[in-house]
Amino acid sequence: MVLDIIVPLLLTMVTCKETRAVIIALHKKGLTGKFIAATKIAFQSTIDRIIKNFKERGSIVAKQAPGHPRKSSKRQDRLLKLFQLRDRATTSAELAQEWQQAGVSASARTVRRRLLEEGLVSRRAAKKPLLSRKNIRDRLIFCKRYRDWTAEDWGKVIFSDESPFRLFGASGKKLVRRR
């Protein structure tokens, strides 16, 4: 008789919510958790937990997990990592804008969290030497060309020290992300 009830229910089960409903219906009919587990619907520990939660809350709906749901999927996180690895000096705000164009609305803080999860840590970029071999060679050529100039020749040249000229990017510290 009990099996006549269980078999049609097992054939129609599709989701976890329906499984919980079947377990509670069998429990209300007076069946024990051990007997319900024998029907192979679920493990006995799962059945006992579902029955316990039903008695406490009076509902078969599972509790929502704590915290705010994620704004991005694993695939979107990999896309963000790809954006970052293309240009390591890109800021998190710029990445957030680029990510938004790809369909994920997230803050710069969320971007930093996702990159940390992917193992990309922000570090201050190492300072490059100011003179490369080419700079040294070009300066030497300049010096050799003008070493015979007199003070009068140099007097005709206009020197300006009022504006800073930066040959190597902005004066601020650069941050890059590394694995």
Side-chain angles (χ1 to χ4, degrees):
M1 177 186 139
V2 175
L3 291 176
D4 294 336
I5 297 170
I6 295 172
V7 174
L9 289 173
L10 286 175
L11 293 175
T12 60
M13 283 193 314
V14 177
T15 65
C16 292
K17 188 175 181 180
E18 291 173 350
T19 304
R20 286 191 296 272
V22 168
I23 291 169
I24 296 303
L26 293 173
H27 177 69
K28 284 182 176 178
K29 294 250 185 220
L31 299 177
T32 64
K34 191 172 186 178
F35 186 82
I36 298 171
T39 62
K40 306 286 186 196
I41 294 176
F43 293 110
Q44 185 169 352
S45 59
T46 305
I47 292 168
D48 292 340
R49 181 179 39 80
I50 291 170
I51 292 170
K52 179 182 163 227
N53 288 341
F54 178 74
K55 287 179 181 175
E56 287 175 2
R57 288 183 281 138
S59 172
I60 62 167
V61 179
K63 273 197 284 188
Q64 184 145 1
H68 197 276
R70 285 179 73 94
K71 286 194 168 190
S72 63
S73 65
K74 297 268 185 203
R75 183 177 185 161
Q76 292 166 330
D77 291 348
R78 284 193 307 271
L79 180 66
L80 176 67
K81 184 178 179 181
L82 184 71
F83 289 156
Q84 179 62 56
L85 292 177
R86 248 190 266 145
D87 181 11
R88 292 182 184 272
T90 308
T91 65
S92 54
E94 293 168 344
L95 282 171
Q97 288 177 345
E98 196 172 348
W99 212 20
Q100 190 167 16
Q101 291 172 355
V104 181
S105 176
S107 67
R109 179 70 189 118
T110 302
V111 167
R112 285 192 294 274
R113 268 192 241 111
R114 293 300 182 269
L115 290 173
L116 276 173
E117 289 172 6
E118 293 291 329
L120 293 171
V121 183
S122 180
R123 298 276 185 248
R124 185 172 293 158
K127 286 188 177 179
K128 289 185 175 180
L130 293 178
L131 296 175
S132 66
R133 291 189 187 280
K134 183 185 180 306
N135 292 131
I136 293 170
R137 188 186 73 232
D138 290 347
R139 284 178 174 219
L140 187 60
I141 290 170
F142 177 86
C143 290
K144 286 180 179 178
R145 181 182 300 161
Y146 297 106
R147 73 176 156 202
D148 295 330
W149 274 31
T150 63
E152 188 179 312
D153 292 331
W154 285 111
K156 297 175 186 173
V157 177
I158 298 174
F159 291 97
S160 172
D161 61 352
E162 296 174 15
S163 300
F165 294 95
R166 294 191 179 88
L167 300 176
F168 301 102
S171 64
K173 305 273 192 257
K174 281 254 186 192
L175 292 178
V176 293
R177 295 196 192 276
R178 305 222 184 274
R179 289 185 185 159

